[in-house]
């Protein structure tokens, strides 16, 4: 997959791209992630990419022209799904991340300031995505969340092909409790069933615990499942 990220602050992605699963995906050739400074596509002599909103109001708004120019140059005739990170977008969920992971190309626009010129959304954007009902200073952090959620689902990125199957939000359930060595710590013991070697009973216990945890913490997911 190729992912193009349009941002005002490409430096924010340095450590993110060079660590952990994202680094591994890039080294394996599973994810080609490229950063593009929106200011570089501005026609203003000072490389300005924002301006005051028409009609008045506080803050600055990202202009349509630099983003349009950037996508025209980066994508060209090749089709790419364009996503705008925005607090007013649809909340990102695991099912959506799985759909994105099947695509060949993504272009992600990092929103900023008081927002983005509405014509960006009308002319260029396929999906407007939010990572939660709160506002952040910039769209770079949500873009990193989206990239991580998607890239780890690309086949061959994670070492264990089964590792994403039983995670939280798969089948609309939260993940069951996990344990490792030591089997006893501070008087707290690992459930005996996990040490039994009976895989059928272990699977049943894990399903029961997943349902119990989901009912307690996210009953809305159980309603969706039903």
């Amino acid at each position: 997959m190729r992912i193009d990220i349009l941002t005002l602050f490409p430096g924010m992605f340095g450590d993110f791209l060079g660590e952990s699963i994202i680094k591994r995906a890039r080294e394996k050739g599973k994810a080609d992630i490229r950063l593009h400074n929106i200011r570089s596509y501005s026609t203003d002599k000072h490389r300005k990419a924002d301006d005051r909103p028409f009609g008045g109001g506080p803050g600055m708004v990202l202009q349509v022209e630099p983003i349009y120019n950037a996508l025209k140059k980066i994508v060209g005739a090749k089709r790419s799904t364009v996503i705008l990170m925005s607090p007013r977008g649809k909340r990102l969920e695991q099912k959506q991340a799985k759909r994105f992971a099947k695509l060949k190309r993504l272009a992600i626009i990092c929103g900023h300031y008081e927002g983005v010129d509405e014509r960006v959304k009308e002319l260029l954007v396929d999906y407007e995505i939010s990572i939660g009902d709160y506002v952040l200073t910039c769209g770079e952090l949500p873009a990193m969340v989206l990239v991580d959620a998607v890239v780890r689902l690309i086949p061959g990125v994670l070492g264990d092909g089964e590792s994403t199957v039983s995670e939280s939000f798969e089948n609309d359930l939260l993940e069951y409790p996990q344990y490792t060595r030591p089997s006893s710590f501070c008087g707290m013991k690992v459930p005996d069933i996990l040490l039994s070697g009976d895989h059928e009973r272990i699977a049943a216990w894990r399903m029961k615990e997943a349902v119990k945890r989901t009912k307690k913490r996210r009953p809305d997911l159980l309603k969706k499942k039903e």
Side-chain angles (χ1 to χ4, degrees), residues 155-185:
V157 170
L158 296 182
D160 184 353
E162 297 296 318
S163 58
T164 62
V165 174
S166 58
E167 291 180 323
S168 290
F169 305 111
E170 290 296 328
N171 300 315
D172 292 320
L173 291 174
L174 299 183
E175 190 176 7
Y176 48 78
Q178 295 275 24
Y179 300 88
T180 187
R181 292 182 177 85
S183 60
S184 179
F185 183 75

Side-chain angles (χ1 to χ4, degrees), residues 35-52:
L35 302 174
H36 307 274
N37 193 328
I38 295 173
R39 299 183 196 278
S40 299
Y41 297 90
S42 173
T43 56
D44 180 80
K45 66 179 181 179
H46 301 296
R47 296 301 184 188
K48 186 177 181 182
D50 61 322
D51 211 331
R52 296 189 179 280

